[in-house]
Amino acid sequence: MAEKSGADILVECLIDLGVEVVFGYPGGAVLPIYDALFDHPKIRHVLVRHEQGATHMAEGYARSTGKPGVVLVTSGPGATNAVTGITDALMDSIPMVVITGQVATQLIGTDAFQEADTIGITRHCSKHNYLVKDPAKLAGVVHEAFHIATTGRPGPVVVDIPKNVQVATARYERPERLEHASYRPQTKADPAAIAKAVELLAAAERPVLYTGGGVINSGPEASTLLRELAALTGAPVTSTLMGLGAYPASGPQWLGMLGMHGTYEANWAMNKADVILCVGARFDDRVTGRLDAFAPHSTKIHIDIDRSSVNKTVAVDLPVIADVGSALTDMIALWKERDHKTADLSEWWARIEGWRARNSLAYPESREEIMPQEAIAQLYKASRSAEDVIITTEVGQHQMWAAQHFGFDAPNKWLTSGGLGTMGYGFPAAIGAQVGNPDSLVVCIAGDASIQMNIQEMGTASQYRLPVKIFILNNEYMGMVRQWQELTYESRYSNSYSDSLPDFVKLAEAYGWTGIRIEGPQELEAGIRQMIDTPGPVIVDCRVAKLSNCFPMIPSGAAHTDMLLDPSQVEGIMSDEAKALV
Amino acid sequence: MHIQEEYSERHVLSLMVTNEAGILARIAGLFTARGYNIDSLTVADITADHAMSRITIVTNGPPKVIDQIIAQLDRLVPVHKVTDLTENGPFVERELALVKVAGTGEDRIEALRLADVFRAKVVDTTIESFIFEITGTTEKIDNFVGLMRQIGLVEVGRTGVVGLVRGKEPN
């Protein structure tokens, strides 16, 4: 068999692995790979404007399609620019393979031009990483990298390829699927744990299903199974930020999101529950609030594919180590086999309805200004005319308002940076989602500050004629920072005002986009309609009330039962203990 | 406001890992990244084909944190197995130290007497100094070094702890 260059072997591997799109940026140390991709008939390369953009595009592509996202960047600054996105994918368990160029092996360690210790830098922000020093080993590594990125708890894997390895030759044979010597994630639950979980759930008087991003990662089938289990048990369902859409927001048992900006009913139900089934969530601090007051009366069952998520922050009574889909399948089968009936939970639901009656997502109405919550609600209403809608967000108040006021009825339609909280995620993620879903309406809900963190990617959307929509809730503040300063630091707004904002409409025009400005409540509906009906990419600069706060809110270090529902409950100062928490 | 310290206990962990570049950095880095403690760490390849290494880590932390350390180590791709020797049952742990002591006259004789009590061997000597080789538990070595300090300790080199499960089975 003829030998091939490392670059050709890499491209061959990508084809064999079913890769259709690569998000990347060329540079000296990846020129051989870019040459192999030149006019390639099968692999589409999306040229980004900044490597961080490439990583978030890959995340958006992965989250919306279920396929791994692939990134290709050069050595040194190419790799270091990708670090934020790699970390983001690690925190949110997004399958991603990042291929980085490296200086030639004999130059490694000499402070060569554009040399960075990519493997050292990404060691703790990736699920795994590799430096490939031999072209004969490249194929095995690339196939293994995809296997690791996409199985178990998904995550980013970095493959660093020195330039001479891209040029040197070796034989390529598609590696056989061998069982990995040490990496073998447990996907099937212990039957005894399943039996115990079903027994606990069947006997529960005040059950809650607390679901997370693991349901989405497990594939669309897991969401169907979750709905079936919910129907069988009659239990209310709440979800983390990452899990929205797994159970439909229009479903009868939906409580809304829980946690810091979750609903009153979701947080009170967690506090008063007797059995909590955590499905693919990880008891994040944004969810639990004060740990010693978190769900104090409950028996906790935790389904997670990652053993290190169990008992990390909250001690659980019954760990179920498994893939969510597999565990739910087993639980449903056993529930039916044992002929459990849906329990009469009417008393529990009556209490929940009592909490729901507080209408915690209510917001003040205004005729003069657009309330940001109203803007989201209108966007939700208008977007229902589209066949398929994918929403991405940046990070901040707009993100929480989107989570609260936009209803998701299906998985993979809600893309947001939950764990790392990366401003600058949403817009590139929208581009990636649009690449993977060319016929969907993809809207990035953004803030005026976040959008500027990766705004250069407007050029990418123009180049590939991707009709993404950016819907900016423009309050001229880093709203969430300002809100915390109002709540914690007596409204001393240190550096949270967005001075010198660009004219977003003119910016849109500069990039060949359509720009729309919405200035008052009377323009809101028409402006949103125009955005949806415009065929190409659109920026909407939606001017909203400047000082709105995101409520309800569990203040830093407080319990679920200490929710603030409106600004009148805010004291404006906090103890040092509360200030010290994130 | 003051930062509270938690109760912590000592555990000896034994890891079987793929012998590959960066494995030590991966493990040591996990400890620093997550704020875990390393009291000692030893590593050497132990199979005929040099494919596998055993890493022995002495750590300390609250029981909950020790569980997390094990789970976090276990999910690293090149880690085959993690055993908590302290929890697992009876095990043997040993550490080796080289201890350089300088002195003349009565000090020199006393050093030799103490070395004999501790079963330390003389592996180098000059007219004014010894290097002792001593093997034992961490505590035994601490004690020996403590006594030598009073006599004329110059410097110490220690390997850190290695450990194995007792009995005929591998861990």
Side-chain angles (χ1 to χ4, degrees):
Chain A
M1 194 206 300
E3 295 203 336
K4 291 182 172 188
S5 71
D8 283 331
I9 290 173
L10 171 69
V11 172
E12 197 88 358
C13 285
L14 297 180
I15 292 165
D16 283 350
L17 287 157
V19 174
E20 292 162 0
V21 189
V22 173
F23 301 93
Y25 201 98
V30 279
L31 283 174
I33 299 172
Y34 270 85
D35 193 57
L37 285 174
F38 183 65
D39 272 345
H40 199 279
K42 286 193 181 150
I43 293 180
R44 180 179 181 198
H45 180 269
V46 174
L47 176 66
V48 302
R49 299 303 186 263
H50 184 289
E51 290 88 349
Q52 186 191 353
T55 55
H56 297 319
M57 285 178 209
E59 286 186 275
Y61 177 86
R63 194 72 169 167
S64 63
T65 63
K67 295 182 246 180
V70 182
V71 173
L72 173 60
V73 296
T74 193
S75 62
T80 56
N81 279 344
V83 166
T84 301
I86 296 170
T87 313
D88 193 275
L90 182 72
M91 291 286 268
D92 285 345
S93 310
I94 309 294
M96 179 159 93
V97 174
V98 180
I99 294 150
T100 54
Q102 182 55 275
V103 300
T105 47
Q106 74 276 10
L107 291 174
I108 289 178
T110 65
D111 299 322
F113 177 63
Q114 291 196 328
E115 183 188 358
D117 175 14
T118 303
I119 289 305
I121 291 167
T122 60
R123 189 172 285 130
H124 303 292
C125 64
S126 60
K127 183 173 174 185
H128 197 48
N129 63 12
Y130 303 86
L131 171 65
V132 187
K133 289 179 162 178
D134 176 359
K137 291 189 175 151
L138 183 59
V141 166
V142 172
H143 279 261
E144 186 176 301
F146 275 78
H147 173 63
I148 287 172
T150 54
T151 55
R153 180 176 176 179
V157 177
V158 177
V159 182
D160 199 26
I161 312 177
K163 196 172 181 183
N164 56 339
V165 176
Q166 300 167 30
V167 176
T169 57
R171 291 182 177 184
Y172 174 66
E173 267 177 274
R174 189 179 175 152
E176 288 188 31
R177 188 61 169 271
L178 292 171
E179 200 164 340
H180 196 278
S182 53
Y183 171 78
R184 290 178 193 172
Q186 182 179 344
T187 53
K188 178 91 178 145
D190 171 10
I194 294 288
K196 185 89 181 116
V198 168
E199 190 184 308
L200 283 166
L201 211 52
E205 291 174 3
R206 300 183 308 280
V208 175
L209 306 184
Y210 151 48
T211 68
V215 186
I216 314 283
N217 277 331
S218 185
E221 180 66 15
S223 294
T224 311
L225 291 163
L226 173 68
R227 292 159 196 221
E228 190 179 349
L229 185 71
L232 286 171
T233 58
V237 185
T238 182
S239 167
T240 66
L241 183 72
M242 296 309 294
L244 296 177
Y247 185 85
S250 58
Q253 288 154 259
W254 178 237
L255 296 180
M257 182 171 76
L258 83 166
M260 184 171 270
H261 292 289
T263 65
Y264 193 75
E265 54 271 35
N267 287 328
W268 273 84
M270 288 294 280
N271 187 265
K272 298 298 176 198
D274 67 345
V275 174
I276 289 173
L277 176 66
C278 167
V279 191
R282 59 182 179 88
F283 298 93
D284 178 81
D285 56 75
R286 284 293 179 276
V287 158
T288 60
R290 206 178 87 209
L291 276 174
D292 59 7
F294 172 71
H297 318 291
S298 63
T299 301
K300 298 173 192 72
I301 310 164
H302 187 179
I303 304 174
D304 205 301
I305 201 162
D306 179 1
R307 183 163 75 91
S308 75
S309 283
V310 173
N311 291 329
K312 184 164 60 182
T313 55
V314 170
V316 299
D317 303 280
L318 177 62
V320 181
I321 308 300
D323 170 58
V324 163
S326 164
L328 291 178
T329 303
D330 292 352
M331 283 181 72
I332 290 167
L334 193 64
W335 180 283
K336 289 179 176 166
E337 189 189 312
R338 298 220 170 144
D339 208 18
H340 288 302
K341 299 281 174 273
T342 309
D344 176 14
L345 302 176
S346 51
E347 211 170 298
W348 180 223
W349 276 105
R351 290 177 74 182
I352 291 169
E353 291 310 326
W355 296 318
R356 210 197 287 277
R358 296 292 292 267
N359 197 13
S360 62
L361 297 182
Y363 50 89
E365 284 177 33
S366 168
R367 288 182 160 202
E368 284 77 45
E369 334 177 82
I370 298 174
M371 297 309 290
Q373 302 92 330
E374 178 64 17
I376 303 285
Q378 290 279 348
L379 176 65
Y380 176 44
K381 206 171 107 190
S383 68
R384 303 191 91 165
S385 64
E387 199 132 298
D388 185 51
V389 185
I390 296 171
I391 299 291
T392 76
T393 75
E394 302 288 342
V395 169
Q397 283 184 320
H398 68 274
Q399 178 189 29
M400 293 299 117
W401 282 319
Q404 291 173 338
H405 298 280
F406 203 102
F408 296 94
D409 285 340
N412 306 99
K413 306 298 175 199
W414 163 248
L415 321 179
T416 194
S417 171
L420 194 64
T422 309
M423 292 169 73
Y425 163 90
F427 173 38
I431 292 177
Q434 190 82 74
V435 168
N437 304 267
D439 300 323
S440 301
L441 170 63
V442 182
V443 183
C444 168
I445 298 175
D448 51 84
S450 285
I451 191 60
Q452 294 184 83
M453 283 219 183
N454 269 319
I455 200 154
Q456 75 288 343
E457 300 305 330
M458 289 179 75
T460 307
S462 302
Q463 182 178 346
Y464 298 96
R465 309 203 188 300
L466 298 167
V468 291
K469 320 296 179 196
I470 300 177
F471 189 73
I472 303 172
L473 298 182
N474 184 349
N475 58 10
E476 297 180 15
Y477 277 104
M478 290 155 224
M480 194 59 96
V481 173
R482 190 207 55 74
Q483 175 169 342
W484 278 57
Q485 288 171 336
E486 181 184 333
L487 267 49
T488 315
Y489 295 97
E490 296 170 304
S491 301
R492 286 193 297 278
Y493 296 149
S494 178
N495 291 281
S496 54
Y497 181 67
S498 297
D499 211 324
S500 307
L501 280 175
D503 180 328
F504 287 112
V505 172
K506 282 192 180 149
L507 187 68
E509 286 159 6
Y511 273 102
W513 290 37
T514 304
I516 299 169
R517 181 163 293 118
I518 302 177
E519 294 193 276
Q522 62 290 347
E523 297 171 14
L524 186 59
E525 202 181 330
I528 291 171
R529 178 46 51 200
Q530 190 193 342
M531 173 188 87
I532 292 173
D533 292 343
T534 303
V538 183
I539 282 192
V540 177
D541 179 13
C542 183
R543 300 301 183 95
V544 298
K546 292 194 198 319
L547 300 179
S548 289
N549 284 331
C550 186
F551 285 106
M553 177 178 187
I554 302 174
S556 202
H560 277 175
T561 47
D562 298 330
M563 288 204 93
L564 306 176
L565 291 178
D566 62 76
S568 69
Q569 296 170 298
V570 172
E571 290 171 29
I573 48 167
M574 264 186 200
S575 69
D576 282 354
E577 277 73 17
K579 275 184 191 168
L581 295 168
V582 281
Chain B
M1 194 189 88
H2 299 281
I3 291 166
Q4 306 284 325
E5 298 260 338
E6 272 187 284
Y7 154 80
S8 91
E9 56 188 40
R10 176 183 185 267
H11 283 246
V12 182
L13 309 180
S14 177
L15 282 69
M16 295 300 291
V17 302
T18 304
N19 182 21
E20 63 181 30
I23 178 67
L24 191 56
R26 205 175 285 284
I27 285 169
L30 186 146
F31 276 73
T32 47
R34 293 189 182 266
Y36 307 146
N37 300 311
I38 297 180
D39 294 341
S40 82
L41 187 154
T42 67
V43 56
D45 76 71
I46 51 158
T47 51
D49 60 359
H50 306 290
M52 300 275 287
S53 293
R54 182 188 301 278
I55 297 181
T56 310
I57 301 173
V58 181
T59 182
N60 70 79
K64 205 179 111 168
V65 172
I66 301 288
D67 285 347
Q68 259 299 300
I69 292 173
I70 294 165
Q72 293 290 350
L73 287 170
D74 207 22
R75 76 178 184 148
L76 295 177
V77 170
V79 171
H80 295 248
K81 190 170 186 195
V82 185
T83 309
D84 182 349
L85 294 178
T86 307
E87 283 291 306
N88 188 63
F91 73 103
V92 179
E93 62 168 282
R94 287 293 178 270
E95 188 177 353
L96 183 144
L98 297 175
V99 182
K100 186 184 287 180
V101 181
T104 51
E106 189 52 35
D107 281 349
R108 195 166 159 83
I109 293 160
E110 186 57 27
L112 278 176
R113 256 189 234 128
L114 287 168
D116 192 42
V117 172
F118 279 81
R119 294 195 181 89
K121 267 196 310 193
V122 176
V123 292
D124 176 69
T125 183
T126 65
I127 297 298
E128 291 174 71
S129 72
F130 291 118
I131 294 176
F132 296 109
E133 175 195 310
I134 178 169
T135 311
T137 60
T138 300
E139 193 188 7
K140 176 182 166 184
I141 293 172
D142 286 347
N143 289 339
F144 182 69
V145 171
L147 290 169
M148 287 301 154
R149 188 164 282 126
Q150 297 171 42
I151 290 173
L153 182 74
V154 179
E155 60 184 347
V156 185
R158 295 173 72 149
T159 59
V161 170
V162 290
L164 283 183
V165 169
R166 281 180 184 267
K168 70 182 169 92
E169 302 298 327
N171 71 45

